[in-house]
Amino acid sequence: MPDASPIRTERHDDVLVIISDNPPVNALGAAVRMGLEAGIKEGVADASIKAMVIRCDGRTFFAGADITEFGKPMQGPGLGTVIDMIEASDKPVVAAIHGTALGGGCEVTLGCHYRVAVPSAKIGTPEVKLGLLPGAGGTQRIPRIAGVKLALQMTAVGDPISAKAAHEAGLIDRIVGEDSLEADAIAFAREVADKRPLPRASEKTATADPQAVEEFKKANARKFRGFDAPAANIACVVKATDGTPFADGVKFERDEFMKLMMGTQSAAQRYMFFAERQAAKVDDIPAGTALRKIAKVGVVGAGTMGGGISMNFLSAGIPVTIVETAQDALDRGVGVIRRNYENSAKKGRFTQDKVEAMMGILTPTLSLDDLADCDLVIEAIYENMDVKKELFGKLDAIAKPGAILASNTSYLNVDEIAGATKRPEDVIGMHFFSPANVMKLLEVVRGAKTAPDVLATVMALAKPIGKVAVVSGVCPGFIGNRMLSQRGAPANTMLMQGVPPERIDKALTDFGMPMGVYQMSDLAGVDIGWHRDPTRIESIRDALAAKGRWGQKTKKGWYDYDENRNPSPSPEVAEIIEEFRSKSNQARRDYTDEEIIGALLYPMVNEGAKILDEGMAQRASDVDVVWIYGYGWPVYRGGPMFWANTVGLDKVVAGLEKNGVPVAPLLKRKAEAGEKF
Ligand code: 3HC
C-alpha cells in the first residue's frame, strides 16, 4: 500500500476489512482508487482470508468520483477498472454502507457481491445533476439488479433512495444495526464466505420494458426539457436491457459519459455544484466565527411572503411567532400555511401528524410584544420605507438584546432601515424569493454596519431551512432584481420595433427560462406600481392597466387567459402596442431569436459586471447562483456570468455596443484582455 494512502486494511481473522478515510466525503480520487485496488489484491492473494468488507470512516460511504479531477488527465486506475476487479474477486466482497453511497460510491457497492447498510443510509446515482451519467458501470448494473423502472428513476432523475427502498429493490441485501455496521458486515461476510456461485451483477440479465421507458419519458418531459444528460442515462439503461452483452453496454456507457463530460452543459452543472457551496463562504469572515443561537423566529406579516417564510422554519422544526395587524388577515395567513401543508400531505410528501406538528409550533398573534423572546425577527410587510422604519423602531424596543432583526425587502436600502434602530449591527436583509417556501434562493443583504457574527449566523441558517444563501451588498434591487430590471427597457424597444410580446417570451423560454418578460409581468400583476389613474396613459403598461388587463388575476394582461390559465396572444394588446408603435418614430426591425436573447440578457450580464466591480457581489459565481436559484435560469447554462463566458465576452460587448448600451468597465477590461468572469 502506498505511503499515507487514504485506504488501510484491518484483519478480523478470516475477513479483511478495507477502510477508506478520505474526508470530508470519501470522494473516490486517484489515491483512493489505488488503495482500493491494493486492498482487494491483498485479500485475494492471502489464503487465510475468506471474505472482504469495504467500509468508510467519517460521515459517509464514498460520495462519488472526485469531481475536482474531472477534465484533468487520469491518474492511477480508472474507477470502472477497480470495480470490475472487485466483482471479479473469487472471494465475496461486502459493501458496508453508511451516510450516502452516491455516484461512483454507489457503483462500487454494485461491483461488490453483497451490500449491507445501516437504516439511515441512502444510495443513489446523482450524476445526472452534474450533467453526467454513472460512468463506472452503474447504468448497466442497476437495471440488472433492480429492474428498468427504478434504474430509470435513479439514473435519469438522480434522487437517492433510502436503505429500506434499496433493500426492497434488491440493491441492499441486509439492513444492519445503526451502530454496529462493521461488526454486522463482518458477520454477514462470514455467513456468505463459502457460498458459490458469487452473485455478480454483470452476469444477471435485465428484462426489457419499452412501455416503462416511454411512460417514464412522458412523465418527466417537462423536467428534462433542455437537458442532455437524462436522455443519455435513459439510453444506457435501455442498452442494459436489450440483450446487449454487459461489456458492450459498459463501452456504450463510457462513450456517452465522455460525450457529456466534454460538453458545455456538464461543465456548467459541475461549476454550479461548487458555486453553490462557495456562495456560503464570506471572504472576510473566518470559518470558525461563533454563531448566535436561533431557536425561535418571529415573522411580521402573514401575507404571501410572511407565510412562505414561516413555513421554511416550521418545516425545519424551528418555532415561529407570526404577527399581523388584524385578526382576519392573521387567520387568512395561518389558513394558507395549513392548506399548503395539507396539500403536500395529500401528495404523500409527509404525514398528517407532521402537519399537526408543524402547525403546533406556529404561534399567531396580533401583538408585536410577543416577539420579545425571538432570536431572529423577519419583517415581511409591504415595501414602504417609512412604514418599515417605524416597525424597526418598535422591534428595536421589543426584541431582546442580541436578537437579529431582518428585513425581507427586495430593493429598499437596508442601511436606512437599520438606521431606525439603536442596533444597526444586528440588522440584515433576508430577501426570500416568491413562493418563499419553494424557491431556494436567499439573498442575504449585508448592511454597512451588520456585525460579522450576524451575517455568519444568517448564512449558516440557510442550510437547515433548505436555502442557498448568497451575500449581496446594499444597492437598489440587490443582485437579482438589479439585474432583472435591465431587461425591461430592451424588451420595450423590441415591442416598439414590431416584435410581439409572445415572440420575446418564446425566445426566453426556448433559452430555458421558466417564463418570459411578459408572462412574468402577468404573473406578478401588470398593475404593480401602477399610478392607478386610468386617464393618464403614458406607456403600454398604463394602457393595459387602464383596461383592467392586470394579468393572470383578471384573466387578461399581456396575454388572454382561459379557465385553466393557458395564455394566448391578445388581439387587443397587439392593437395597443401598434398604436404606441405608430406614434413612436421607431423603425420596424427584425430580430432572430439569438438577437432577442442578446438584447435582453447582455444588459443583465453588463449589470452583473457593475455589481462585481462595486463589490456588491463577492464573486461572479455568486451572481450565477442568484439567477439559478432565484429566477430559474437554466442550470445547464450555468448562470448569466458563466453563460457570458461561453458566448465570449467580446461578443457580449459587441452586442451591447450595437444596441447602444454603455459597456461596464469591468466587462470591457475582461473582454479586451481575453479573460473570463
Ligand atoms: N468530489 C469532490 N468534492 C466533493 C464531492 C465530490 N464527489 N462531494 C462533495 N465534495 C466536497 C464539497 O465540494 C464540499 O467542499 P467544501 O467543504 O470545500 O465546500 C465538501 O465536499 C462537503 O460537501 P457538502 O458541503 O455538499 O456536504 P454535505 O454533507 O451537505 O453533503 C453529499 C454531502 C450529499 C455527499 C454532497 O456533497 C453531494 O451530493 N456530493 C456530490 C455527490 C455526487 O454528485 N456524486 C457523483 C459524483 S460523479 C461520479 O461519481 C461519476 C462516476 O459515475 C464515474
Side-chain angles (χ1 to χ4, degrees):
M1 196 133 310
D3 279 351
S5 168
I7 301 281
R8 66 180 191 278
T9 52
E10 287 172 5
R11 273 151 201 277
H12 293 256
D13 300 328
D14 51 355
V15 176
L16 185 73
V17 183
I18 303 168
I19 303 158
S20 170
D21 182 13
N22 187 34
V25 298
N26 282 303
L28 288 148
V32 174
R33 298 194 303 271
M34 275 188 264
L36 271 179
E37 191 179 47
I40 295 290
K41 275 189 187 152
E42 181 186 330
V44 169
D46 188 333
S48 68
I49 293 296
K50 291 181 88 176
M52 287 167 265
V53 168
I54 299 178
R55 73 161 185 86
C56 292
D57 277 343
R59 66 194 215 227
T60 179
F61 195 79
F62 305 114
D66 186 337
I67 309 168
T68 60
E69 286 184 353
F70 288 177
K72 297 180 189 155
M74 170 82 95
Q75 308 273 327
L79 185 58
T81 310
V82 176
I83 291 172
D84 288 346
M85 195 185 137
I86 294 172
E87 198 188 49
S89 157
D90 56 4
K91 298 172 186 177
V93 184
V94 180
I97 308 165
H98 77 293
T100 39
L102 297 179
C106 175
E107 292 173 292
V108 166
T109 74
L110 302 172
C112 293
H113 308 104
Y114 300 97
R115 291 158 291 276
V116 302
V118 298
S120 63
K122 287 191 168 158
I123 97 167
T125 45
E127 285 90 338
V128 70
K129 296 183 185 183
L130 300 170
L132 295 170
L133 51 82
T139 66
Q140 303 306 295
R141 286 192 175 93
I142 298 175
R144 284 178 160 85
I145 300 174
V148 174
K149 273 191 193 157
L150 186 63
L152 289 170
Q153 193 67 30
M154 285 181 72
T155 61
V157 176
D159 293 331
I161 61 172
S162 66
K164 183 165 170 271
H167 185 228
E168 281 158 12
L171 288 165
I172 300 286
D173 297 285
R174 182 179 295 170
I175 308 266
V176 298
E178 192 69 57
D179 301 315
S180 52
L181 175 62
E182 185 181 78
D184 291 355
I186 292 170
F188 183 94
R190 288 214 175 93
E191 278 174 43
V192 296
D194 298 318
K195 265 199 179 164
R196 294 294 182 277
L198 287 172
R200 293 189 172 99
S202 67
E203 291 169 2
K204 294 188 196 301
T205 32
T207 321
D209 191 347
Q211 197 188 333
V213 175
E214 281 322 302
E215 281 167 12
F216 178 79
K217 281 188 195 166
K218 227 169 108 187
N220 290 287
R222 234 182 109 182
K223 185 178 220 155
F224 294 164
R225 197 182 134 232
F227 288 89
D228 293 339
N233 274 280
I234 296 169
C236 287
V237 170
V238 169
K239 261 288 180 248
T241 64
D242 67 1
T244 304
F246 180 80
D248 294 346
V250 166
K251 186 174 175 314
F252 180 79
E253 178 195 86
R254 177 106 301 248
D255 291 346
E256 292 294 302
F257 181 86
M258 289 317 291
K259 265 191 252 167
L260 293 174
M261 175 75 96
M262 300 320 239
T264 312
Q265 289 204 351
S266 176
Q269 289 178 261
R270 278 161 15 226
Y271 159 83
M272 280 314 303
F273 177 86
F274 291 111
E276 178 184 331
R277 283 156 180 80
Q278 181 77 3
K281 291 162 194 149
V282 187
D283 285 341
D284 61 341
I285 298 185
T289 301
L291 304 180
R292 298 192 190 181
K293 193 171 150 233
I294 307 293
K296 191 162 187 195
V297 173
V299 175
V300 185
T304 315
M305 279 319 278
I309 292 170
S310 301
M311 288 178 72
N312 293 310
F313 293 98
L314 299 174
S315 305
I318 302 173
V320 174
T321 301
I322 189 164
V323 191
E324 252 302 341
T325 47
Q327 190 65 47
D328 58 337
L330 185 63
D331 292 345
R332 211 166 33 242
V334 171
V336 172
I337 296 178
R338 173 172 280 280
R339 222 171 23 255
N340 284 340
Y341 279 144
E342 283 179 346
N343 285 341
S344 297
K346 269 186 213 133
K347 286 182 194 142
R349 288 208 195 113
F350 40 73
T351 61
Q352 187 62 32
D353 285 353
K354 170 100 202 245
V355 175
E356 298 310 327
M358 292 186 290
M359 292 308 291
I361 54 171
L362 176 65
T363 311
T365 173
L366 294 175
S367 170
L368 284 175
D369 292 335
D370 291 340
L371 299 174
D373 63 342
C374 291
D375 305 298
L376 163 69
V377 178
I378 305 171
E379 164 274 310
I381 63 171
Y382 62 100
E383 295 279 44
N384 176 302
M385 182 54 92
D386 291 336
V387 182
K388 289 204 197 252
K389 276 162 81 171
E390 193 192 329
L391 175 65
F392 272 77
K394 286 185 193 161
L395 291 175
D396 190 18
I398 293 167
K400 66 184 181 189
I404 298 174
L405 305 180
S407 172
N408 176 50
T409 182
S410 54
Y411 62 86
L412 294 177
N413 187 319
V414 172
D415 290 332
E416 200 179 329
I417 297 174
T421 72
K422 291 192 205 69
R423 47 170 126 179
E425 66 282 2
D426 292 344
V427 177
I428 194 164
M430 287 177 79
H431 179 210
F432 290 84
F433 285 66
S434 187
N437 54 319
V438 179
M439 296 302 285
K440 283 193 76 176
L441 179 65
L442 176 62
E443 236 177 6
V444 177
V445 187
R446 178 182 198 171
K449 295 191 178 154
T450 304
D453 70 328
V454 168
L455 181 58
T457 300
V458 171
M459 293 302 287
L461 191 58
K463 203 167 181 182
I465 63 169
K467 300 292 176 213
V468 177
V470 175
V471 184
S472 169
V474 176
C475 58
F478 313 126
I479 298 172
N481 283 344
R482 179 169 162 184
M483 287 169 70
L484 180 70
S485 69
Q486 296 304 311
R487 65 182 204 189
N492 196 55
T493 302
M494 285 189 274
L495 287 185
M496 289 295 98
Q497 293 172 331
V499 188
E502 58 274 13
R503 248 307 303 283
I504 297 174
D505 281 357
K506 186 167 183 303
L508 278 179
T509 51
D510 285 352
F511 179 81
M513 296 298 290
M515 60 184 110
V517 179
Y518 300 102
Q519 289 159 329
M520 196 182 221
S521 171
D522 274 357
L523 185 70
V526 178
D527 61 317
I528 286 201
W530 178 44
H531 48 61
R532 313 249 143 206
D533 176 0
T535 61
R536 203 175 117 204
I537 294 178
E538 288 152 6
S539 65
I540 300 175
R541 204 275 297 260
D542 288 348
L544 297 191
K547 283 187 186 301
R549 303 197 66 101
W550 292 5
Q552 289 197 15
K553 59 188 168 190
T554 57
K555 290 213 180 122
K556 52 183 189 173
W558 291 94
Y559 295 85
D560 289 332
Y561 292 88
D562 67 11
E563 271 63 54
N564 300 320
R565 293 199 180 187
N566 292 316
S568 55
S570 156
E572 185 178 43
V573 172
E575 243 173 63
I576 294 171
I577 294 173
E578 187 48 34
E579 211 183 300
F580 271 84
R581 210 194 66 71
S582 57
K583 275 189 261 165
S584 78
N585 295 326
Q586 289 269 18
R588 278 188 180 277
R589 179 178 154 193
D590 277 340
Y591 281 78
T592 62
D593 283 357
E594 201 190 332
E595 283 169 333
I596 294 177
I597 290 299
L600 294 173
L601 304 189
Y602 292 171
M604 285 174 37
V605 172
N606 199 42
E607 197 64 25
K610 289 185 202 165
I611 287 171
L612 281 173
D613 222 5
E614 292 166 21
M616 291 295 145
Q618 297 191 86
R619 31 186 113 82
S621 60
D622 281 12
V623 174
D624 288 332
V625 172
V626 164
W627 272 83
I628 300 275
Y629 288 114
Y631 301 84
W633 181 285
V635 58
Y636 55 79
R637 294 192 196 271
M641 308 316 272
F642 181 93
W643 172 72
N645 289 338
T646 64
V647 170
L649 297 189
D650 49 346
K651 203 174 150 196
V652 174
V653 168
L656 287 166
E657 284 171 344
K658 186 175 163 202
N659 290 334
V661 182
V663 179
L666 177 69
L667 173 56
K668 200 165 199 147
R669 284 200 304 275
K670 286 207 173 281
E672 277 166 5
E675 288 171 11
K676 294 184 170 191
F677 282 114

